[in-house]
């Protein structure tokens, strides 16, 4: 029978009780993590969000009725226990913060009973994630998930306070917004009042925060939910949280500076670590050339070498052919791996094929200085020596090469570099390597749409020195855009915005919008820009990802209380779900069932 709280008050959370409380009477409340019945003594590990306290039930302390009641306790029963804090009688548990003490119960209430849970509630659960997500309310009782969410809450609080001190105002922007075609697919919300019209859930507060700058709020901050209806990807969530900001009367350095201080503050307060500022900065071009990625992981070396010049006239047609057709040859030097078995090299070849490369050429420098290679027979000794020198290789090293179009070769070797580092355990998990990647290209060519699209978004300011290219060569325009990268992941990004109407109009034109389309979509922004716009810039973090990396976790789902799975559904609530015909009718919506494919 569930008992009530009447007359009871919790005095502490479990791990708030320490040796300093020995001799005191405390009242703790929580869940039964473990129960051992030793006949004359019953032990319960009581769990709350702070951790665990060992409770001892002894008939001499609690009386016969109380002891009998304690005998009925099962896993996950919710208890209120009043008792004396004592030094542990039995074995001390070094692993627990409360491992040297225990509470000898003098009073027990069973606040609620529990059925046997469908899986054990324990740290580092081995239970299948589907089952855990179906019963997420139980999964969330696990100490590791509780810790993650508590850290996330702390990150939010610390950030809010920091930003307030820096003069930022927290301002909400709408969830029911206007659909815009750039970027990812929108989640749409049908309007009942205007059948056939839709709101879109925001992909980010971008336009609203820019308008707040037009309105003079000059420093805005928000922890904002964002929605993107993207195709299935392992670690994406259709809704996620941004830590979003915008500042007026600033240029790039001002934005980077306040964000470096914010991150330094968070790492210090939460992890007790002093991270070095200012962070390193690298242009997008340099990142691509050296690491084959716009979010390089700097915790290990193995940089890419461009050896195109060295092999352009060599006898190995794969190399020389790639260069002749405007492509490149890029290599990485894997230290000490000359002896890598053929099978492993084959596996790496399969890996790069997954990215679209046709193959992987290799050369290993043997201990006697000779080479073992998939292409040595096509090249002279001198050519090979030059190549090995250019790769900074020494005896015992393995060299791997890709020859293809520049983008494909660089990106694939960048991915291979990370794959090898993971395989060989070259990554120090305790290191945090922050990096600003700057000077992104303004545009990227979309094969699918056969036009240039904005790499960041259409409101990003081109670098002043590249403005002339807007009329001549869009591929040459660099943007005043920046990403903050941590350990090979992008945790945030932003840009200086266009604050001149003529450049904004030009930008829409470059992106293939007609004047009418631009007006149709963004008339409010273009209008607002006619009434005095301050120069402004901003940035947004993916808060979930930031916390995930901060805690060294592998899955974004571990920092979101109620995450969705890969197909964007919620296993617990079964959302999305069909709705009542009446609801659809009210919205003026008829549903066209997907055509059954012919058997
Ligand atoms: N709104 C941008 C984004 O979601 C970030 C920014 O430019 O501030 O990526």
């Amino acid at each position: 029978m569930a008992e009530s709280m009447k007359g009871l008050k919790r005095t502490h959370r479990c791990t708030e009780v320490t040796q300093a409380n020995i001799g005191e009477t405390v009242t703790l409340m929580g869940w039964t993590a473990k129960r051992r019945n030793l006949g004359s003594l019953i032990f319960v590990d009581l769990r709350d969000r702070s951790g665990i306290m060992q409770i001892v039930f002894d008939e001499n302390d609690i009386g016969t009725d109380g002891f009998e009641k304690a005998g009925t306790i099962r896993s996950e029963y919710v208890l209120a226990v009043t008792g004396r804090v004592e030094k542990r009688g039995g074995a001390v548990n070094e692993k627990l913060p409360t491992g040297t003490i225990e509470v000898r119960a003098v009073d027990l209430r069973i606040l609620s009973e529990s059925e046997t849970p469908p899986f054990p509630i324990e740290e580092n659960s081995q239970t299948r994630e589907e089952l855990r997500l179906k019963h997420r309310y139980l999964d969330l009782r696990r100490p590791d998930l509780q810790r993650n969410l508590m850290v996330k809450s702390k990150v939010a609080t610390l950030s809010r306070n920091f930003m307030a001190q820096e003069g930022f105002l927290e301002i909400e922007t709408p969830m029911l917004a206007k659909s815009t075609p750039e970027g990812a697919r929108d989640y749409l919300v049908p309007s009942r009042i205007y059948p056939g019209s839709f709101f879109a859930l925001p992909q980010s507060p971008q336009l609203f925060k820019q308008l707040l700058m037009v309105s003079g709020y000059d420093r805005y901050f928000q922890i904002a939910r964002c929605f993107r209806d993207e195709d299935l990807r392992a670690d994406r969530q259709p809704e996620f949280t941004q830590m979003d900001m915008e500042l007026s009367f600033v240029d790039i350095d001002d934005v980077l500076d306040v964000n470096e201080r914010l991150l330094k503050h968070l790492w210090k307060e939460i992890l007790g670590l002093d991270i070095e500022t200012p962070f390193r900065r690298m242009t997008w071009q340099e990142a691509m050339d050296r690491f084959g990625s716009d979010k390089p992981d700097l915790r290990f070396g193995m940089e890419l070498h461009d050896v195109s010049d060295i092999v352009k006239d060599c006898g190995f047609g794969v190399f020389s052919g790639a260069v002749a057709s405007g492509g490149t040859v890029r290599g990485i030097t894997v230290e000490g791996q000359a002896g890598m078995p053929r099978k492993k090299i084959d596996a790496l070849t399969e890996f790069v094929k997954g990215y679209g490369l046709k193959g992987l050429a290799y050369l290993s420098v043997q201990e006697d200085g000779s080479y073992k290679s998939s292409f040595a027979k096509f090249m002279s000794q001198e050519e090979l020596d030059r190549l090995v020198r250019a790769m900074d290789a020494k005896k015992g090293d393995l060299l791997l090469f890709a020859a293809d179009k520049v983008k494909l070769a660089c990106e694939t070797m960048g991915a291979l570099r990370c794959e090898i580092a993971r395989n060989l355990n070259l990554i120090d998990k305790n290191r945090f390597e922050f990096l600003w990647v700057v000077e992104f290209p303004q545009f990227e060519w979309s094969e699918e749409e056969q036009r240039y699209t904005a790499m960041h978004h259409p409101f990003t300011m081109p670098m002043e020195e590249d403005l002339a290219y807007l009329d001549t060569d869009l591929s040459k325009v660099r943007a005043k855009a920046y990403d903050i990268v941590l350990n090979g992941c992008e945790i945030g990004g932003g840009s200086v915005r266009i604050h001149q109407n003529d450049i904004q109009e030009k930008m829409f034109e470059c992106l293939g919008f007609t004047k009418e389309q631009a007006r149709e979509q963004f008339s409010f922004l273009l209008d607002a820009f006619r009434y005095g716009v301050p120069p402004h810039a901003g940035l947004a973090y993916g808060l979930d990802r930031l916390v995930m990396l901060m805690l060294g976790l592998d899955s974004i789902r571990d920092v979101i209380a109620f995450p969705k799975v890969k197909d964007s559904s919620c296993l617990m609530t079964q959302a999305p779900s069909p709705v009542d015909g009446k609801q659809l009718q009210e919205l003026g919506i008829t549903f066209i069932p997907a055509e059954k494919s012919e058997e």
Side-chain angles (χ1 to χ4, degrees), residues 363-366 368-373 376 381 384-386 388:
L363 180 153
S364 60
V365 187
Q366 306 295 299
D368 62 5
S370 66
Y371 305 137
K372 221 165 98 187
S373 165
Q381 185 65 31
L384 290 170
D385 289 344
R386 272 180 59 207
V388 169

Side-chain angles (χ1 to χ4, degrees), residues 252 438-442 460-463 466 477-481:
I252 294 184
V438 297
E439 298 182 17
F440 275 77
Q442 181 87 30
T460 294
M461 178 69 188
M463 286 175 64
D466 292 351
V477 183
R478 290 163 303 163
K480 292 179 100 169

